[in-house]
Amino acid sequence: MGRRPRLLALSLALSALLGLSAIATAQSAAADTEICDQYGSQAIAGGRYVVQNNRWGISEPQCISVTDRGFRVTRADGSTSTSGAPKSYPSVFLGCHYGTCTSNDVIGPNGLQASDPRFAQVRTSVSMTYPASGTYDAAYDIWFHRSRPSASTAQNDGAELMVWLNKAGPIQPIGSRVATVSLAGGTWDVWFGNTGWNVISYVRTQGTGSLDFNVKTFWDDVVARGYGSNAWYLTSIQAGFEPWVGGTGLAVTDFSVTTGSSPTTNPTTNPTTNPTTNPTTNPTTNPSGSCTASYALVGSWQGGFQATVTVKAGSAPVNGWTVRGTLPSGAGVQSLWNGRSSSAGSSLVVANEGYNGSLGAGASTTFGFVGSGPAPTSLALTCA
């Protein structure tokens, strides 16, 4: 959450003004391990990340203890109504936030356009611990700007992508729930609202204390729903907490953002309909015996479907693979991830990406796609 309340226009304007002084505060933050200044911050990991107190919703004190991998909330006075905005967003981030930028090789001071091939490689992970009481959410806050930003850009105008790992108490994201999807190894309720920029929140139906995912996994779903664009720029990746009541004991124990790792499977569901999960597999062995390709229908809706294909090496290593098959008449590939498609019409032809073409004996990789038209429950495939 940025330095502004999420619901009230008056508070929004006030926070924007406070953001000007926050820049100076962040730049002059002391090297102490505990931060109690309203917008105090401290760089960690050699400047790669910044930890920020970011108490924007109340006047009562809040303090955080900074570690080399994250932070812990040591004091969290005051409370706000659970029907309104939270007290704060203590967090750790990579990128640029209200003029404070980290030293990193991922986003840079002018953002990273979502259409840039490097965006597909942006991966983040976090581990958190939670207290036994309090009302809060534990969430990523990932920001996008509509045009190329500068390091001094304050409020992003494109999209605020929130990924709620966990929540406690009677709270909910901005807007209303529009769907439920399966992404990044979990099931998420999708919420959408607008506060001058699009706010898209993914709330995990079963809370977790850790998460590891590619940003593109969620962003592709945002774009498919019409809430964002691949022409927009990623500006920061933040992880922390929004407390309404209490909050002492909330902690980020580990946080990282990297590039170059193999992306996770990136399922994208129909924007308005939740697919029914009932995977059906149909392994087909390549005549040469070098690899197999197994099709699985993840879900379907009126006029479309989502599927995955698992490519598995045989008894010998595979250096490069291509999967071929024929979809039902009237079906086609709309979008695909973790592979390079040369599909046309009902012909399915997918080759490996650079990062997943080499498979050791018995190893496997997966690509997925969203199709239009009738959904096949099984599909004969060859792998070479």
Side-chain angles (χ1 to χ4, degrees):
M1 170 55 56
R3 292 175 181 147
R4 73 284 176 278
R6 306 171 63 182
L7 300 177
L8 303 180
L10 179 60
S11 296
L12 242 167
L14 176 61
S15 178
L17 292 173
L18 289 172
L20 297 176
S21 63
I23 297 173
T25 305
Q27 292 174 338
S28 61
D32 297 340
T33 57
E34 187 170 64
I35 299 173
C36 296
D37 291 344
Q38 183 176 10
Y39 295 129
S41 66
Q42 182 172 312
I44 61 173
R48 184 174 181 82
Y49 309 118
V50 168
V51 173
Q52 57 180 354
N53 198 27
N54 204 7
R55 173 178 55 82
W56 53 262
I58 58 170
S59 58
E60 289 86 351
Q62 174 179 282
C63 297
I64 58 175
S65 177
V66 180
T67 70
D68 59 350
R69 304 294 297 179
F71 67 93
R72 180 181 180 85
V73 179
T74 56
R75 181 175 180 180
D77 295 356
S79 64
T80 58
S81 170
T82 55
S83 61
K87 298 190 294 181
S88 60
Y89 183 60
S91 55
V92 55
F93 72 88
L94 177 141
C96 291
H97 178 72
Y98 276 78
T100 298
C101 296
T102 64
S103 173
N104 72 86
D105 56 356
V106 180
I107 297 175
N110 299 117
L112 178 63
Q113 195 168 31
S115 60
D116 190 311
R118 293 173 296 173
F119 178 76
Q121 301 297 309
V122 178
R123 189 178 188 88
T124 182
S125 66
V126 71
S127 295
M128 298 174 163
T129 58
Y130 311 123
S133 62
T135 300
Y136 59 86
D137 68 59
Y140 272 92
D141 209 5
I142 304 173
W143 289 92
F144 291 82
H145 204 65
R146 291 175 181 267
S147 58
R148 184 180 295 277
S150 67
S152 61
T153 298
Q155 180 59 63
N156 292 133
D157 61 3
E160 179 183 3
L161 165 59
M162 298 201 74
V163 181
W164 287 30
L165 285 74
N166 197 15
K167 70 183 186 75
I171 53 174
Q172 66 183 44
I174 288 173
S176 57
R177 187 166 65 88
V178 296
T180 300
V181 298
S182 295
L183 297 171
T187 302
W188 310 79
D189 288 332
V190 185
W191 292 69
F192 175 74
N194 184 282
T195 58
W197 56 90
N198 291 342
V199 182
I200 312 96
S201 303
Y202 293 79
V203 181
R204 206 171 195 273
T205 57
Q206 291 187 334
T208 182
S210 63
L211 194 62
D212 184 348
F213 65 96
N214 276 60
V215 173
K216 182 176 167 62
T217 300
F218 289 92
W219 186 246
D220 278 355
D221 191 71
V222 170
V223 173
R225 297 178 188 281
Y227 302 146
S229 168
N230 283 328
W232 296 359
Y233 290 78
L234 171 67
T235 61
S236 69
I237 299 173
Q238 310 180 20
F241 310 97
E242 292 182 315
W244 276 258
V245 179
T248 300
L250 290 167
V252 170
T253 58
D254 190 70
F255 174 75
S256 71
V257 180
T258 59
T259 58
S261 301
S262 175
T264 55
T265 300
N266 182 21
T268 304
T269 60
N270 176 271
T272 58
T273 307
N274 301 331
T276 302
T277 56
N278 225 349
T280 304
T281 60
N282 183 30
T284 302
T285 304
N286 172 349
S288 69
S290 61
C291 58
T292 61
S294 303
Y295 171 88
L297 177 64
V298 176
S300 62
W301 53 87
Q302 184 66 37
F305 63 96
Q306 177 189 317
T308 61
V309 174
T310 300
V311 178
K312 184 175 182 180
S315 57
V318 170
N319 292 308
W321 49 263
T322 300
V323 172
R324 291 180 171 86
T326 302
L327 298 168
S329 177
V333 175
Q334 285 187 318
S335 62
L336 181 139
W337 51 92
N338 287 0
R340 291 177 291 134
S341 175
S342 56
S343 304
S346 60
S347 174
L348 178 69
V349 182
V350 180
N352 61 274
E353 290 280 14
Y355 54 76
N356 62 357
S358 297
L359 302 175
S364 63
T365 188
T366 301
F367 68 85
F369 65 96
V370 171
S372 59
T377 56
S378 62
L379 194 64
L381 300 171
T382 61
C383 178

